[in-house]
Amino acid sequence: MSAAAYPEYPFTPKRFEVRPGVTMSYLDEGPRDGEVTPPEVVVMLHGNPSWSYYWRRLVSGLSDPAQGKAYRCIVPDHVGMGLSDRPGDDAYEYTLQSRIDDLEALLQHLGVTGPVTLAVHDWGGMIGFGWALSRRERVRRLVILNTAAFPLPAAKPMPWQLSLGRDSRVGGFMIRAFNLFARGATRLGVEKRMPREVRRAFEAPYDGWRNAIATLRFMQDIPLGEGDRAWPLLVESARVLPGYNDRPVFIGWGLRDFVFDRHFLDGFVAALPDAEVHAFEDANHYVLQDKADELVPAIRSFLDRHPL
């Protein structure tokens, strides 16, 4: 499917060779540099198994000058996700560090070297907070939606649905052969039933063995303890997380999320006690899908009230 075939996605994605022979698709919507006042940049980072489509309504709500102050919205599709390339394991290392390096390469390519607002969801949290470990002064505001930046809380058991992909060969086969993870997320990750065409938009990029490689590799990279490749980045992100309490933080949370549940929300609130929190009893993991009508204007108001 081309970008034009996705509902509520009126954007023209751009492409960038993030590594030799590997091309990343991304959105760059809203005002550009070179104007009298440089635009404020919002970097939106999706997780697994979504893509930039997850952020579509927030991009529209922030980048359109008809709705007020316009923000520049940069939204990558991580390699292997969305409309980006699907390299094999011989051509790309599907690790958290690779995602962080890709993000920095994209921002350098776009000439974005100044302050940014990070908006993160799911794996986007660890990618964004991992990227910020050596660039914390550039992160001036945070928008945090159902994600993590610290190890699995002690009171939270590892969901079996994630273990199925992380630790089981049979589960891994089913995810790649039948698009099991993306299809499950569109049904179990929302409280409001998705319209069929929207569900198809979330699932379509991962239909087929080759196309689903990143959805499985993300699951296999989940850090649970020492020895896991992403563990040092996760531990360090947790250590410095309270340091972000000195800047504006918005937290939007779907409380029906069986992965990033109240335990994770409580962890963020404990680390960031001054954050503006919007928690919804009737929203799930894809909180921006369930609660776009509330969250988009709330996030815009938050950014407008805390200008850079």
PDB file of all heavy atoms in Angstrom, residues 54 120-125 143-148 251-262 264-265 268 278-280 283-288 295:
ATOM      1  N   TYR A  54       0.651   5.778  13.795  1.00  0.00           N
ATOM      2  CA  TYR A  54       0.125   5.938  15.154  1.00  0.00           C
ATOM      3  C   TYR A  54       0.006   7.419  15.532  1.00  0.00           C
ATOM      4  O   TYR A  54      -0.905   7.809  16.260  1.00  0.00           O
ATOM      5  CB  TYR A  54       1.042   5.221  16.145  1.00  0.00           C
ATOM      6  CG  TYR A  54       0.649   5.415  17.591  1.00  0.00           C
ATOM      7  CD1 TYR A  54      -0.431   4.731  18.144  1.00  0.00           C
ATOM      8  CD2 TYR A  54       1.363   6.294  18.404  1.00  0.00           C
ATOM      9  CE1 TYR A  54      -0.792   4.924  19.469  1.00  0.00           C
ATOM     10  CE2 TYR A  54       1.008   6.488  19.731  1.00  0.00           C
ATOM     11  CZ  TYR A  54      -0.070   5.798  20.256  1.00  0.00           C
ATOM     12  OH  TYR A  54      -0.434   6.002  21.575  1.00  0.00           O
ATOM     13  N   VAL A 120       6.976  10.078  22.941  1.00  0.00           N
ATOM     14  CA  VAL A 120       7.378   8.673  22.861  1.00  0.00           C
ATOM     15  C   VAL A 120       6.232   7.756  23.255  1.00  0.00           C
ATOM     16  O   VAL A 120       5.401   8.078  24.097  1.00  0.00           O
ATOM     17  CB  VAL A 120       8.609   8.400  23.761  1.00  0.00           C
ATOM     18  CG1 VAL A 120       9.806   9.215  23.292  1.00  0.00           C
ATOM     19  CG2 VAL A 120       8.309   8.718  25.236  1.00  0.00           C
ATOM     20  N   HIS A 121       6.225   6.580  22.623  1.00  0.00           N
ATOM     21  CA  HIS A 121       5.223   5.555  22.905  1.00  0.00           C
ATOM     22  C   HIS A 121       5.867   4.187  22.750  1.00  0.00           C
ATOM     23  O   HIS A 121       6.663   3.959  21.824  1.00  0.00           O
ATOM     24  CB  HIS A 121       4.040   5.669  21.933  1.00  0.00           C
ATOM     25  CG  HIS A 121       2.997   4.609  22.105  1.00  0.00           C
ATOM     26  ND1 HIS A 121       2.809   3.587  21.196  1.00  0.00           N
ATOM     27  CD2 HIS A 121       2.089   4.396  23.100  1.00  0.00           C
ATOM     28  CE1 HIS A 121       1.828   2.809  21.613  1.00  0.00           C
ATOM     29  NE2 HIS A 121       1.368   3.264  22.757  1.00  0.00           N
ATOM     30  N   ASP A 122       5.576   3.273  23.684  1.00  0.00           N
ATOM     31  CA  ASP A 122       6.064   1.905  23.599  1.00  0.00           C
ATOM     32  C   ASP A 122       7.594   1.912  23.483  1.00  0.00           C
ATOM     33  O   ASP A 122       8.258   2.613  24.241  1.00  0.00           O
ATOM     34  CB  ASP A 122       5.369   1.191  22.428  1.00  0.00           C
ATOM     35  CG  ASP A 122       5.588  -0.307  22.402  1.00  0.00           C
ATOM     36  OD1 ASP A 122       6.559  -0.732  21.761  1.00  0.00           O
ATOM     37  OD2 ASP A 122       4.781  -1.042  23.004  1.00  0.00           O
ATOM     38  N   TRP A 123       8.180   1.176  22.535  1.00  0.00           N
ATOM     39  CA  TRP A 123       9.634   1.156  22.364  1.00  0.00           C
ATOM     40  C   TRP A 123      10.200   2.543  22.065  1.00  0.00           C
ATOM     41  O   TRP A 123      11.395   2.782  22.247  1.00  0.00           O
ATOM     42  CB  TRP A 123      10.026   0.210  21.229  1.00  0.00           C
ATOM     43  CG  TRP A 123      10.402  -1.170  21.671  1.00  0.00           C
ATOM     44  CD1 TRP A 123       9.609  -2.285  21.655  1.00  0.00           C
ATOM     45  CD2 TRP A 123      11.668  -1.602  22.176  1.00  0.00           C
ATOM     46  NE1 TRP A 123      10.311  -3.382  22.120  1.00  0.00           N
ATOM     47  CE2 TRP A 123      11.570  -2.994  22.443  1.00  0.00           C
ATOM     48  CE3 TRP A 123      12.873  -0.952  22.431  1.00  0.00           C
ATOM     49  CZ2 TRP A 123      12.636  -3.739  22.957  1.00  0.00           C
ATOM     50  CZ3 TRP A 123      13.934  -1.693  22.935  1.00  0.00           C
ATOM     51  CH2 TRP A 123      13.809  -3.066  23.198  1.00  0.00           C
ATOM     52  N   GLY A 124       9.354   3.465  21.584  1.00  0.00           N
ATOM     53  CA  GLY A 124       9.827   4.820  21.354  1.00  0.00           C
ATOM     54  C   GLY A 124      10.388   5.456  22.608  1.00  0.00           C
ATOM     55  O   GLY A 124      11.261   6.334  22.535  1.00  0.00           O
ATOM     56  N   GLY A 125       9.899   5.019  23.789  1.00  0.00           N
ATOM     57  CA  GLY A 125      10.431   5.543  25.032  1.00  0.00           C
ATOM     58  C   GLY A 125      11.894   5.203  25.219  1.00  0.00           C
ATOM     59  O   GLY A 125      12.727   6.074  25.490  1.00  0.00           O
ATOM     60  N   VAL A 143       6.680  14.299  26.075  1.00  0.00           N
ATOM     61  CA  VAL A 143       5.313  13.788  25.988  1.00  0.00           C
ATOM     62  C   VAL A 143       5.443  12.271  26.047  1.00  0.00           C
ATOM     63  O   VAL A 143       6.004  11.647  25.142  1.00  0.00           O
ATOM     64  CB  VAL A 143       4.612  14.239  24.694  1.00  0.00           C
ATOM     65  CG1 VAL A 143       3.227  13.601  24.591  1.00  0.00           C
ATOM     66  CG2 VAL A 143       4.508  15.764  24.640  1.00  0.00           C
ATOM     67  N   ILE A 144       4.938  11.683  27.112  1.00  0.00           N
ATOM     68  CA  ILE A 144       5.153  10.264  27.408  1.00  0.00           C
ATOM     69  C   ILE A 144       3.817   9.542  27.364  1.00  0.00           C
ATOM     70  O   ILE A 144       2.907   9.856  28.130  1.00  0.00           O
ATOM     71  CB  ILE A 144       5.802  10.105  28.802  1.00  0.00           C
ATOM     72  CG1 ILE A 144       7.165  10.809  28.837  1.00  0.00           C
ATOM     73  CG2 ILE A 144       5.938   8.635  29.165  1.00  0.00           C
ATOM     74  CD1 ILE A 144       7.774  10.878  30.229  1.00  0.00           C
ATOM     75  N   LEU A 145       3.706   8.554  26.462  1.00  0.00           N
ATOM     76  CA  LEU A 145       2.471   7.787  26.296  1.00  0.00           C
ATOM     77  C   LEU A 145       2.766   6.291  26.413  1.00  0.00           C
ATOM     78  O   LEU A 145       3.484   5.736  25.574  1.00  0.00           O
ATOM     79  CB  LEU A 145       1.835   8.064  24.927  1.00  0.00           C
ATOM     80  CG  LEU A 145       1.612   9.520  24.504  1.00  0.00           C
ATOM     81  CD1 LEU A 145       1.019   9.556  23.091  1.00  0.00           C
ATOM     82  CD2 LEU A 145       0.689  10.236  25.482  1.00  0.00           C
ATOM     83  N   ASN A 146       2.269   5.625  27.428  1.00  0.00           N
ATOM     84  CA  ASN A 146       2.350   4.158  27.583  1.00  0.00           C
ATOM     85  C   ASN A 146       3.662   3.580  27.074  1.00  0.00           C
ATOM     86  O   ASN A 146       3.729   2.998  25.986  1.00  0.00           O
ATOM     87  CB  ASN A 146       1.161   3.499  26.880  1.00  0.00           C
ATOM     88  CG  ASN A 146      -0.129   3.686  27.660  1.00  0.00           C
ATOM     89  OD1 ASN A 146      -0.652   4.806  27.735  1.00  0.00           O
ATOM     90  ND2 ASN A 146      -0.669   2.619  28.221  1.00  0.00           N
ATOM     91  N   THR A 147       4.689   3.750  27.864  1.00  0.00           N
ATOM     92  CA  THR A 147       6.023   3.340  27.465  1.00  0.00           C
ATOM     93  C   THR A 147       6.824   2.983  28.704  1.00  0.00           C
ATOM     94  O   THR A 147       6.278   2.821  29.798  1.00  0.00           O
ATOM     95  CB  THR A 147       6.698   4.467  26.653  1.00  0.00           C
ATOM     96  OG1 THR A 147       7.936   4.009  26.123  1.00  0.00           O
ATOM     97  CG2 THR A 147       6.937   5.715  27.502  1.00  0.00           C
ATOM     98  N   ALA A 148       8.137   2.843  28.544  1.00  0.00           N
ATOM     99  CA  ALA A 148       9.024   2.542  29.669  1.00  0.00           C
ATOM    100  C   ALA A 148      10.356   3.241  29.459  1.00  0.00           C
ATOM    101  O   ALA A 148      10.782   3.482  28.328  1.00  0.00           O
ATOM    102  CB  ALA A 148       9.235   1.044  29.816  1.00  0.00           C
ATOM    103  N   ILE A 251       2.223  13.412  30.568  1.00  0.00           N
ATOM    104  CA  ILE A 251       2.031  11.966  30.556  1.00  0.00           C
ATOM    105  C   ILE A 251       0.586  11.677  30.178  1.00  0.00           C
ATOM    106  O   ILE A 251      -0.341  12.152  30.841  1.00  0.00           O
ATOM    107  CB  ILE A 251       2.353  11.334  31.921  1.00  0.00           C
ATOM    108  CG1 ILE A 251       3.824  11.569  32.289  1.00  0.00           C
ATOM    109  CG2 ILE A 251       2.038   9.839  31.908  1.00  0.00           C
ATOM    110  CD1 ILE A 251       4.200  11.039  33.668  1.00  0.00           C
ATOM    111  N   GLY A 252       0.389  10.908  29.110  1.00  0.00           N
ATOM    112  CA  GLY A 252      -0.931  10.435  28.713  1.00  0.00           C
ATOM    113  C   GLY A 252      -0.949   8.919  28.791  1.00  0.00           C
ATOM    114  O   GLY A 252      -0.090   8.265  28.180  1.00  0.00           O
ATOM    115  N   TRP A 253      -1.921   8.337  29.496  1.00  0.00           N
ATOM    116  CA  TRP A 253      -1.822   6.903  29.784  1.00  0.00           C
ATOM    117  C   TRP A 253      -3.167   6.200  29.646  1.00  0.00           C
ATOM    118  O   TRP A 253      -4.178   6.646  30.182  1.00  0.00           O
ATOM    119  CB  TRP A 253      -1.313   6.704  31.213  1.00  0.00           C
ATOM    120  CG  TRP A 253      -0.466   5.474  31.362  1.00  0.00           C
ATOM    121  CD1 TRP A 253      -0.876   4.234  31.718  1.00  0.00           C
ATOM    122  CD2 TRP A 253       0.942   5.385  31.139  1.00  0.00           C
ATOM    123  NE1 TRP A 253       0.184   3.357  31.740  1.00  0.00           N
ATOM    124  CE2 TRP A 253       1.317   4.045  31.393  1.00  0.00           C
ATOM    125  CE3 TRP A 253       1.925   6.301  30.753  1.00  0.00           C
ATOM    126  CZ2 TRP A 253       2.626   3.605  31.274  1.00  0.00           C
ATOM    127  CZ3 TRP A 253       3.226   5.863  30.628  1.00  0.00           C
ATOM    128  CH2 TRP A 253       3.574   4.528  30.889  1.00  0.00           C
ATOM    129  N   GLY A 254      -3.141   5.089  28.917  1.00  0.00           N
ATOM    130  CA  GLY A 254      -4.293   4.200  28.858  1.00  0.00           C
ATOM    131  C   GLY A 254      -4.156   3.141  29.935  1.00  0.00           C
ATOM    132  O   GLY A 254      -3.242   2.310  29.882  1.00  0.00           O
ATOM    133  N   LEU A 255      -5.017   3.159  30.906  1.00  0.00           N
ATOM    134  CA  LEU A 255      -4.881   2.287  32.077  1.00  0.00           C
ATOM    135  C   LEU A 255      -5.276   0.839  31.810  1.00  0.00           C
ATOM    136  O   LEU A 255      -5.042  -0.033  32.649  1.00  0.00           O
ATOM    137  CB  LEU A 255      -5.701   2.850  33.234  1.00  0.00           C
ATOM    138  CG  LEU A 255      -5.182   4.184  33.789  1.00  0.00           C
ATOM    139  CD1 LEU A 255      -6.189   4.786  34.761  1.00  0.00           C
ATOM    140  CD2 LEU A 255      -3.827   4.006  34.468  1.00  0.00           C
ATOM    141  N   ARG A 256      -5.867   0.561  30.663  1.00  0.00           N
ATOM    142  CA  ARG A 256      -6.239  -0.817  30.332  1.00  0.00           C
ATOM    143  C   ARG A 256      -5.121  -1.578  29.609  1.00  0.00           C
ATOM    144  O   ARG A 256      -5.301  -2.725  29.216  1.00  0.00           O
ATOM    145  CB  ARG A 256      -7.508  -0.819  29.464  1.00  0.00           C
ATOM    146  CG  ARG A 256      -8.728  -0.183  30.115  1.00  0.00           C
ATOM    147  CD  ARG A 256      -9.154  -0.930  31.377  1.00  0.00           C
ATOM    148  NE  ARG A 256      -9.546  -2.296  31.095  1.00  0.00           N
ATOM    149  CZ  ARG A 256     -10.784  -2.661  30.728  1.00  0.00           C
ATOM    150  NH1 ARG A 256     -11.731  -1.746  30.606  1.00  0.00           N
ATOM    151  NH2 ARG A 256     -11.066  -3.922  30.496  1.00  0.00           N
ATOM    152  N   ASP A 257      -3.970  -0.959  29.461  1.00  0.00           N
ATOM    153  CA  ASP A 257      -2.811  -1.579  28.819  1.00  0.00           C
ATOM    154  C   ASP A 257      -2.319  -2.728  29.705  1.00  0.00           C
ATOM    155  O   ASP A 257      -1.994  -2.525  30.876  1.00  0.00           O
ATOM    156  CB  ASP A 257      -1.719  -0.523  28.650  1.00  0.00           C
ATOM    157  CG  ASP A 257      -0.558  -0.971  27.781  1.00  0.00           C
ATOM    158  OD1 ASP A 257      -0.353  -2.198  27.633  1.00  0.00           O
ATOM    159  OD2 ASP A 257       0.150  -0.097  27.255  1.00  0.00           O
ATOM    160  N   PHE A 258      -2.261  -3.953  29.151  1.00  0.00           N
ATOM    161  CA  PHE A 258      -1.827  -5.084  29.964  1.00  0.00           C
ATOM    162  C   PHE A 258      -0.309  -5.189  30.037  1.00  0.00           C
ATOM    163  O   PHE A 258       0.221  -5.964  30.849  1.00  0.00           O
ATOM    164  CB  PHE A 258      -2.437  -6.405  29.462  1.00  0.00           C
ATOM    165  CG  PHE A 258      -1.897  -6.892  28.150  1.00  0.00           C
ATOM    166  CD1 PHE A 258      -0.747  -7.645  28.090  1.00  0.00           C
ATOM    167  CD2 PHE A 258      -2.567  -6.609  26.956  1.00  0.00           C
ATOM    168  CE1 PHE A 258      -0.254  -8.123  26.881  1.00  0.00           C
ATOM    169  CE2 PHE A 258      -2.088  -7.072  25.740  1.00  0.00           C
ATOM    170  CZ  PHE A 258      -0.924  -7.823  25.702  1.00  0.00           C
ATOM    171  N   VAL A 259       0.405  -4.438  29.222  1.00  0.00           N
ATOM    172  CA  VAL A 259       1.868  -4.413  29.298  1.00  0.00           C
ATOM    173  C   VAL A 259       2.311  -3.200  30.114  1.00  0.00           C
ATOM    174  O   VAL A 259       2.805  -3.319  31.232  1.00  0.00           O
ATOM    175  CB  VAL A 259       2.504  -4.393  27.894  1.00  0.00           C
ATOM    176  CG1 VAL A 259       4.026  -4.323  28.015  1.00  0.00           C
ATOM    177  CG2 VAL A 259       2.095  -5.618  27.099  1.00  0.00           C
ATOM    178  N   PHE A 260       2.129  -2.006  29.560  1.00  0.00           N
ATOM    179  CA  PHE A 260       2.516  -0.774  30.257  1.00  0.00           C
ATOM    180  C   PHE A 260       1.328  -0.301  31.099  1.00  0.00           C
ATOM    181  O   PHE A 260       0.620   0.632  30.745  1.00  0.00           O
ATOM    182  CB  PHE A 260       2.963   0.285  29.246  1.00  0.00           C
ATOM    183  CG  PHE A 260       4.139  -0.153  28.417  1.00  0.00           C
ATOM    184  CD1 PHE A 260       3.983  -0.481  27.082  1.00  0.00           C
ATOM    185  CD2 PHE A 260       5.393  -0.261  28.981  1.00  0.00           C
ATOM    186  CE1 PHE A 260       5.074  -0.891  26.317  1.00  0.00           C
ATOM    187  CE2 PHE A 260       6.490  -0.682  28.231  1.00  0.00           C
ATOM    188  CZ  PHE A 260       6.327  -1.001  26.899  1.00  0.00           C
ATOM    189  N   ASP A 261       1.142  -0.966  32.225  1.00  0.00           N
ATOM    190  CA  ASP A 261      -0.034  -0.756  33.059  1.00  0.00           C
ATOM    191  C   ASP A 261       0.255   0.269  34.149  1.00  0.00           C
ATOM    192  O   ASP A 261       1.181   1.077  34.046  1.00  0.00           O
ATOM    193  CB  ASP A 261      -0.510  -2.090  33.628  1.00  0.00           C
ATOM    194  CG  ASP A 261       0.573  -2.803  34.440  1.00  0.00           C
ATOM    195  OD1 ASP A 261       1.625  -2.172  34.745  1.00  0.00           O
ATOM    196  OD2 ASP A 261       0.374  -3.980  34.787  1.00  0.00           O
ATOM    197  N   ARG A 262      -0.517   0.221  35.240  1.00  0.00           N
ATOM    198  CA  ARG A 262      -0.354   1.185  36.333  1.00  0.00           C
ATOM    199  C   ARG A 262       1.033   1.106  36.972  1.00  0.00           C
ATOM    200  O   ARG A 262       1.529   2.104  37.507  1.00  0.00           O
ATOM    201  CB  ARG A 262      -1.418   0.940  37.402  1.00  0.00           C
ATOM    202  CG  ARG A 262      -2.825   1.344  36.988  1.00  0.00           C
ATOM    203  CD  ARG A 262      -3.812   1.055  38.110  1.00  0.00           C
ATOM    204  NE  ARG A 262      -5.184   1.365  37.706  1.00  0.00           N
ATOM    205  CZ  ARG A 262      -5.754   2.547  37.882  1.00  0.00           C
ATOM    206  NH1 ARG A 262      -5.063   3.535  38.430  1.00  0.00           N
ATOM    207  NH2 ARG A 262      -7.006   2.751  37.502  1.00  0.00           N
ATOM    208  N   PHE A 264       3.884   0.804  35.476  1.00  0.00           N
ATOM    209  CA  PHE A 264       4.768   1.683  34.717  1.00  0.00           C
ATOM    210  C   PHE A 264       4.382   3.147  34.902  1.00  0.00           C
ATOM    211  O   PHE A 264       5.248   4.015  35.040  1.00  0.00           O
ATOM    212  CB  PHE A 264       4.735   1.306  33.234  1.00  0.00           C
ATOM    213  CG  PHE A 264       5.533   0.083  32.912  1.00  0.00           C
ATOM    214  CD1 PHE A 264       4.942  -1.168  32.866  1.00  0.00           C
ATOM    215  CD2 PHE A 264       6.897   0.169  32.656  1.00  0.00           C
ATOM    216  CE1 PHE A 264       5.679  -2.306  32.576  1.00  0.00           C
ATOM    217  CE2 PHE A 264       7.648  -0.954  32.370  1.00  0.00           C
ATOM    218  CZ  PHE A 264       7.046  -2.203  32.326  1.00  0.00           C
ATOM    219  N   LEU A 265       3.082   3.436  34.893  1.00  0.00           N
ATOM    220  CA  LEU A 265       2.646   4.808  35.143  1.00  0.00           C
ATOM    221  C   LEU A 265       3.137   5.278  36.511  1.00  0.00           C
ATOM    222  O   LEU A 265       3.660   6.399  36.645  1.00  0.00           O
ATOM    223  CB  LEU A 265       1.130   4.908  35.065  1.00  0.00           C
ATOM    224  CG  LEU A 265       0.523   6.268  35.444  1.00  0.00           C
ATOM    225  CD1 LEU A 265       1.054   7.383  34.558  1.00  0.00           C
ATOM    226  CD2 LEU A 265      -1.001   6.209  35.372  1.00  0.00           C
ATOM    227  N   PHE A 268       6.780   6.289  36.376  1.00  0.00           N
ATOM    228  CA  PHE A 268       7.030   7.613  35.800  1.00  0.00           C
ATOM    229  C   PHE A 268       6.606   8.727  36.754  1.00  0.00           C
ATOM    230  O   PHE A 268       7.310   9.732  36.904  1.00  0.00           O
ATOM    231  CB  PHE A 268       6.293   7.756  34.465  1.00  0.00           C
ATOM    232  CG  PHE A 268       7.038   7.191  33.294  1.00  0.00           C
ATOM    233  CD1 PHE A 268       6.595   6.036  32.666  1.00  0.00           C
ATOM    234  CD2 PHE A 268       8.193   7.806  32.817  1.00  0.00           C
ATOM    235  CE1 PHE A 268       7.292   5.506  31.580  1.00  0.00           C
ATOM    236  CE2 PHE A 268       8.895   7.280  31.743  1.00  0.00           C
ATOM    237  CZ  PHE A 268       8.443   6.132  31.122  1.00  0.00           C
ATOM    238  N   HIS A 278      -2.488  12.741  32.414  1.00  0.00           N
ATOM    239  CA  HIS A 278      -3.833  12.475  31.906  1.00  0.00           C
ATOM    240  C   HIS A 278      -3.952  10.956  31.787  1.00  0.00           C
ATOM    241  O   HIS A 278      -3.406  10.358  30.856  1.00  0.00           O
ATOM    242  CB  HIS A 278      -4.043  13.132  30.539  1.00  0.00           C
ATOM    243  CG  HIS A 278      -3.945  14.619  30.559  1.00  0.00           C
ATOM    244  ND1 HIS A 278      -5.022  15.449  30.349  1.00  0.00           N
ATOM    245  CD2 HIS A 278      -2.868  15.445  30.769  1.00  0.00           C
ATOM    246  CE1 HIS A 278      -4.635  16.707  30.419  1.00  0.00           C
ATOM    247  NE2 HIS A 278      -3.333  16.737  30.672  1.00  0.00           N
ATOM    248  N   ALA A 279      -4.636  10.325  32.720  1.00  0.00           N
ATOM    249  CA  ALA A 279      -4.797   8.873  32.719  1.00  0.00           C
ATOM    250  C   ALA A 279      -6.256   8.528  32.458  1.00  0.00           C
ATOM    251  O   ALA A 279      -7.165   9.167  32.998  1.00  0.00           O
ATOM    252  CB  ALA A 279      -4.345   8.286  34.051  1.00  0.00           C
ATOM    253  N   PHE A 280      -6.464   7.508  31.632  1.00  0.00           N
ATOM    254  CA  PHE A 280      -7.817   7.169  31.172  1.00  0.00           C
ATOM    255  C   PHE A 280      -8.153   5.722  31.539  1.00  0.00           C
ATOM    256  O   PHE A 280      -7.463   4.793  31.116  1.00  0.00           O
ATOM    257  CB  PHE A 280      -7.918   7.348  29.656  1.00  0.00           C
ATOM    258  CG  PHE A 280      -7.585   8.734  29.175  1.00  0.00           C
ATOM    259  CD1 PHE A 280      -6.298   9.040  28.742  1.00  0.00           C
ATOM    260  CD2 PHE A 280      -8.549   9.731  29.156  1.00  0.00           C
ATOM    261  CE1 PHE A 280      -5.986  10.317  28.295  1.00  0.00           C
ATOM    262  CE2 PHE A 280      -8.248  11.004  28.716  1.00  0.00           C
ATOM    263  CZ  PHE A 280      -6.960  11.307  28.295  1.00  0.00           C
ATOM    264  N   ALA A 283      -9.085   3.572  28.225  1.00  0.00           N
ATOM    265  CA  ALA A 283      -8.150   3.577  27.098  1.00  0.00           C
ATOM    266  C   ALA A 283      -7.109   2.490  27.305  1.00  0.00           C
ATOM    267  O   ALA A 283      -6.805   2.101  28.434  1.00  0.00           O
ATOM    268  CB  ALA A 283      -7.481   4.940  26.944  1.00  0.00           C
ATOM    269  N   ASN A 284      -6.537   2.024  26.218  1.00  0.00           N
ATOM    270  CA  ASN A 284      -5.636   0.884  26.237  1.00  0.00           C
ATOM    271  C   ASN A 284      -4.248   1.297  25.755  1.00  0.00           C
ATOM    272  O   ASN A 284      -3.897   2.477  25.774  1.00  0.00           O
ATOM    273  CB  ASN A 284      -6.236  -0.231  25.375  1.00  0.00           C
ATOM    274  CG  ASN A 284      -5.830  -1.623  25.808  1.00  0.00           C
ATOM    275  OD1 ASN A 284      -4.649  -1.909  25.997  1.00  0.00           O
ATOM    276  ND2 ASN A 284      -6.807  -2.506  25.971  1.00  0.00           N
ATOM    277  N   HIS A 285      -3.472   0.323  25.286  1.00  0.00           N
ATOM    278  CA  HIS A 285      -2.081   0.575  24.886  1.00  0.00           C
ATOM    279  C   HIS A 285      -1.988   1.643  23.798  1.00  0.00           C
ATOM    280  O   HIS A 285      -1.166   2.560  23.898  1.00  0.00           O
ATOM    281  CB  HIS A 285      -1.450  -0.726  24.387  1.00  0.00           C
ATOM    282  CG  HIS A 285      -0.040  -0.561  23.921  1.00  0.00           C
ATOM    283  ND1 HIS A 285       0.984  -0.204  24.766  1.00  0.00           N
ATOM    284  CD2 HIS A 285       0.518  -0.682  22.682  1.00  0.00           C
ATOM    285  CE1 HIS A 285       2.121  -0.114  24.080  1.00  0.00           C
ATOM    286  NE2 HIS A 285       1.865  -0.408  22.813  1.00  0.00           N
ATOM    287  N   TYR A 286      -2.802   1.538  22.763  1.00  0.00           N
ATOM    288  CA  TYR A 286      -2.810   2.564  21.717  1.00  0.00           C
ATOM    289  C   TYR A 286      -3.656   3.740  22.213  1.00  0.00           C
ATOM    290  O   TYR A 286      -4.706   4.053  21.668  1.00  0.00           O
ATOM    291  CB  TYR A 286      -3.387   1.987  20.423  1.00  0.00           C
ATOM    292  CG  TYR A 286      -2.451   1.076  19.654  1.00  0.00           C
ATOM    293  CD1 TYR A 286      -2.968   0.106  18.792  1.00  0.00           C
ATOM    294  CD2 TYR A 286      -1.069   1.178  19.756  1.00  0.00           C
ATOM    295  CE1 TYR A 286      -2.126  -0.732  18.059  1.00  0.00           C
ATOM    296  CE2 TYR A 286      -0.229   0.352  19.034  1.00  0.00           C
ATOM    297  CZ  TYR A 286      -0.757  -0.599  18.185  1.00  0.00           C
ATOM    298  OH  TYR A 286       0.080  -1.418  17.457  1.00  0.00           O
ATOM    299  N   VAL A 287      -3.147   4.413  23.245  1.00  0.00           N
ATOM    300  CA  VAL A 287      -3.931   5.459  23.900  1.00  0.00           C
ATOM    301  C   VAL A 287      -4.236   6.619  22.970  1.00  0.00           C
ATOM    302  O   VAL A 287      -5.304   7.241  23.056  1.00  0.00           O
ATOM    303  CB  VAL A 287      -3.200   5.951  25.178  1.00  0.00           C
ATOM    304  CG1 VAL A 287      -1.856   6.578  24.852  1.00  0.00           C
ATOM    305  CG2 VAL A 287      -4.077   6.888  25.993  1.00  0.00           C
ATOM    306  N   LEU A 288      -3.345   6.901  22.039  1.00  0.00           N
ATOM    307  CA  LEU A 288      -3.587   8.000  21.111  1.00  0.00           C
ATOM    308  C   LEU A 288      -4.636   7.633  20.071  1.00  0.00           C
ATOM    309  O   LEU A 288      -5.239   8.511  19.453  1.00  0.00           O
ATOM    310  CB  LEU A 288      -2.278   8.419  20.430  1.00  0.00           C
ATOM    311  CG  LEU A 288      -2.263   9.760  19.702  1.00  0.00           C
ATOM    312  CD1 LEU A 288      -2.719  10.895  20.607  1.00  0.00           C
ATOM    313  CD2 LEU A 288      -0.868  10.044  19.155  1.00  0.00           C
ATOM    314  N   LEU A 295      -6.573  13.831  23.755  1.00  0.00           N
ATOM    315  CA  LEU A 295      -5.133  13.986  23.894  1.00  0.00           C
ATOM    316  C   LEU A 295      -4.542  15.015  22.938  1.00  0.00           C
ATOM    317  O   LEU A 295      -3.648  15.773  23.329  1.00  0.00           O
ATOM    318  CB  LEU A 295      -4.431  12.639  23.698  1.00  0.00           C
ATOM    319  CG  LEU A 295      -4.438  11.711  24.904  1.00  0.00           C
ATOM    320  CD1 LEU A 295      -3.838  10.361  24.546  1.00  0.00           C
ATOM    321  CD2 LEU A 295      -3.667  12.325  26.075  1.00  0.00           C
TER     322      LEU A 295
END
